[in-house]
Amino acid sequence: MVTEKTTAELFRHLTTSGVKIIDVRPVEAYNGWKLNNETRGGHIAGAKSLPVKWLKYIDWIEIVRRKNILPENEIVVYGYSSEETQEVAERFLKSGYEKVFVYNHFVDEWAVNPDLPMQKLERYKKLVSAEWVNQLISGRKPTEYENDNFVVAHAHYRNRDAYLSGHIPGAIDIDTNALEAEDTWNRRSPEELKKALEEHGITADTTVILYGKYMDPDNDDQFPGSAAGDIGAIRNAFIMLYAGVKDVRILNGGFQSWLDAGFETSFTDEIKKKAADFGASIPQKPELAVDTPEAKEMIAAPNAELVCVRSYPEYIGEVSGYNYIEAKGRIPGAVFADCGSDAYHMENYRNVDHTTREFHETAEIWINNGITPDKHLAFYCGTGWRGSEAWFNAWLMGWPRVSVYDGGWFEWSNDPKNPYETGVPEENLTPS
């Protein structure tokens, strides 16, 4: 058996350099959900999220190293059960980590003591688990839900086959084209949004749970975004919140989380039940969206940043990123917030199981790049999807003034009067 740490010993370790505290509970518990009736939700301050579920991945040790958990570190593993902590601790030992310990009193000693520091994601309730959704559609009352009116929506881009090939029971499908214009990719007009939301049975007071299906997007396809419904779901969430839907939630990990949980899959083409009226003027939250004139003001403002959520080849102008955008380059003055490999992937914002990345890691990367919560931030990409997902991360963290620059590179580059840059930015060049 691996040696166990006491609560007092672990508390002293919080300020000890080189000690890594590892939380092996589900990501939802790490974020703030009380999955074991603990007194306080969240995680031990400074802990890293490494769910026991990830042990099944062949590249587990690579995941660990990317989190900067190194063999020279002292490792303390904790979770809900001693069996799970022991299992993960033994994997560390087998992987060449020598200083490995377990802590088995998170629920009965740490979480009950308000003097012991914990952290949680500010808007953790907006990232729900497959179990939470299953309770909801089964007629039970899941925690942190007080409504009696909900819609579960499977998001896709012109790909109903993604929905018909298997979805959450009772879920309707929603094409991103219902909420964003096909010619500009920007959010639709208030009148169009009102009509579309009502047609999908959604009012301002409806709790909407969105998810998508990741289907290995390929840039050689005519419509690569049709395989990136996981990003499309968050794009829809942004537009719904902008419009005025008060309670919008994302199934963390998308349809993959539903499959991983082993719940039933439906192939029924559910009929949408139209709502009589949205119930509020649109938009209720116009500040969530930024258009080109304001984007230009933000570039020049000392207390604002335009944040580029694209791949590095797009950022330096090697590729446009899209088969329908010819212009290559970046908006001068924008801060780079690397999405991942291309326009249809968000690896740098996702875990291996497609759940949202540990929020401390995202915040640290942003802050090191000058993307800080004291500024007004407008996230953008090519057409709004990746920008919406980065925005969603900041919104979940409770950063006070975050928006999406809706037009993005597509709109910016379509106006020849707008400046652009290519190549490696001068500040990133190493002096010879």
Side-chain angles (χ1 to χ4, degrees):
M1 294 290 289
V2 180
T3 302
E4 183 176 350
K5 292 281 188 180
T6 67
T7 298
E9 288 173 327
L10 185 56
F11 179 72
R12 289 195 294 270
H13 279 318
L14 294 184
T15 56
T16 302
S17 176
V19 175
K20 300 286 187 178
I21 302 171
I22 311 299
D23 186 329
V24 302
R25 301 173 303 150
V27 292
E28 286 76 28
Y30 182 88
N31 286 340
W33 289 93
K34 301 175 184 177
L35 303 186
N36 201 21
N37 297 316
E38 54 264 46
T39 304
R40 293 184 293 160
H43 55 271
I44 295 173
K48 303 293 293 180
S49 177
L50 194 73
V52 66
K53 167 188 173 183
W54 294 355
L55 287 176
K56 69 179 183 180
Y57 293 106
I58 194 169
D59 55 350
W60 179 84
I61 191 61
E62 297 303 319
I63 298 169
V64 170
R65 297 291 175 86
R66 283 197 295 269
K67 285 178 166 286
N68 199 35
I69 304 169
L70 307 175
E72 58 264 30
N73 295 137
E74 181 174 316
I75 307 298
V76 183
V77 182
Y78 80 94
Y80 280 140
S81 74
S82 58
E83 292 79 14
E84 288 183 345
T85 57
Q86 185 72 23
E87 184 179 6
V88 175
E90 289 178 355
R91 176 66 72 86
F92 270 110
L93 288 170
K94 290 177 182 178
S95 301
Y97 289 72
E98 298 179 353
K99 296 174 287 186
V100 183
F101 303 86
V102 295
Y103 174 65
N104 291 323
H105 295 284
F106 171 73
V107 173
D108 64 339
E109 292 186 15
W110 196 283
V112 299
N113 187 344
D115 294 328
L116 298 176
M118 290 180 61
Q119 297 169 311
K120 63 183 177 182
L121 183 63
E122 180 73 19
R123 289 190 168 107
Y124 71 88
K125 300 174 188 177
K126 304 306 180 182
L127 272 179
V128 299
S129 66
E131 174 60 36
W132 190 95
V133 177
N134 188 55
Q135 289 180 20
L136 183 67
I137 66 174
S138 300
R140 290 174 282 170
K141 195 82 168 181
T143 59
E144 308 290 6
Y145 173 74
E146 304 300 330
N147 207 348
D148 58 1
N149 174 22
F150 70 88
V151 168
V152 179
H154 180 124
H156 62 87
Y157 164 62
R158 53 186 308 160
N159 187 5
R160 294 197 79 240
D161 284 346
Y163 169 75
L164 296 173
S165 62
H167 59 82
I168 294 174
I172 62 169
D173 79 292
I174 182 167
D175 193 323
T176 56
N177 282 336
L179 302 185
E180 60 180 10
E182 295 181 62
D183 54 342
T184 66
W185 296 87
N186 289 359
R187 65 200 184 281
R188 289 190 178 274
S189 70
E191 295 75 21
E192 291 172 316
L193 290 178
K194 182 178 188 297
K195 181 174 183 291
L197 292 168
E198 289 170 355
E199 287 176 345
H200 288 80
I202 297 170
T203 73
D205 294 320
T206 304
T207 293
V208 182
I209 301 92
L210 284 156
Y211 73 94
K213 184 183 289 184
Y214 174 84
M215 304 177 72
D216 295 310
D218 185 346
N219 273 293
D220 291 332
D221 291 343
Q222 183 179 4
F223 302 108
S226 293
D230 53 326
I231 309 176
I234 298 179
R235 173 63 172 166
N236 281 346
F238 159 72
I239 296 175
M240 288 184 188
L241 286 163
Y242 160 86
V245 182
K246 298 171 188 174
D247 186 13
V248 180
R249 311 196 189 200
I250 292 290
L251 170 57
N252 199 6
F255 190 64
Q256 186 61 51
S257 287
W258 188 261
L259 295 177
D260 289 349
F263 293 130
E264 176 188 356
T265 297
S266 172
F267 302 92
T268 302
D269 190 356
E270 298 288 348
I271 297 173
K272 301 175 180 69
K273 300 174 183 177
K274 187 174 181 179
D277 186 71
F278 180 69
S281 61
I282 297 176
Q284 284 290 300
K285 293 188 177 296
E287 69 276 7
L288 297 185
V290 164
D291 295 314
T292 299
E294 188 176 357
K296 291 180 177 179
E297 293 175 359
M298 292 180 66
I299 291 171
N303 60 346
E305 296 287 0
L306 200 60
V307 183
C308 176
V309 190
R310 301 163 73 201
S311 66
Y312 193 67
E314 291 172 87
Y315 182 66
I316 64 174
E318 286 184 354
V319 298
S320 76
Y322 303 83
N323 55 26
Y324 55 87
I325 299 179
E326 292 185 10
K328 303 173 184 178
R330 64 177 173 274
I331 299 173
V335 181
F336 186 50
D338 195 353
C339 72
S341 57
D342 60 37
Y344 304 99
H345 293 81
M346 289 290 287
E347 303 102 317
N348 291 347
Y349 292 79
R350 300 284 183 90
N351 295 315
V352 66
D353 58 357
H354 300 292
T355 52
T356 297
R357 184 175 183 176
E358 180 187 316
F359 65 95
H360 298 300
E361 295 175 356
T362 299
E364 181 180 8
I365 293 169
W366 284 353
I367 291 169
N368 288 341
N369 289 339
I371 304 166
T372 55
D374 59 311
K375 299 175 182 177
H376 180 195
L377 304 171
F379 298 89
Y380 83 94
C381 55
T383 58
W385 284 34
R386 292 171 292 169
S388 293
E389 180 155 343
W391 166 84
F392 187 64
N393 276 261
W395 181 77
L396 287 173
M397 289 188 281
W399 288 21
R401 199 175 180 203
V402 290
S403 310
V404 174
Y405 169 33
D406 214 18
W409 176 245
F410 186 43
E411 181 174 306
W412 185 277
S413 63
N414 273 337
D415 186 345
K417 296 192 294 292
N418 288 333
Y420 71 94
E421 294 177 340
T422 59
V424 178
E426 288 186 10
E427 61 268 23
N428 293 345
L429 293 174
T430 303
S432 57

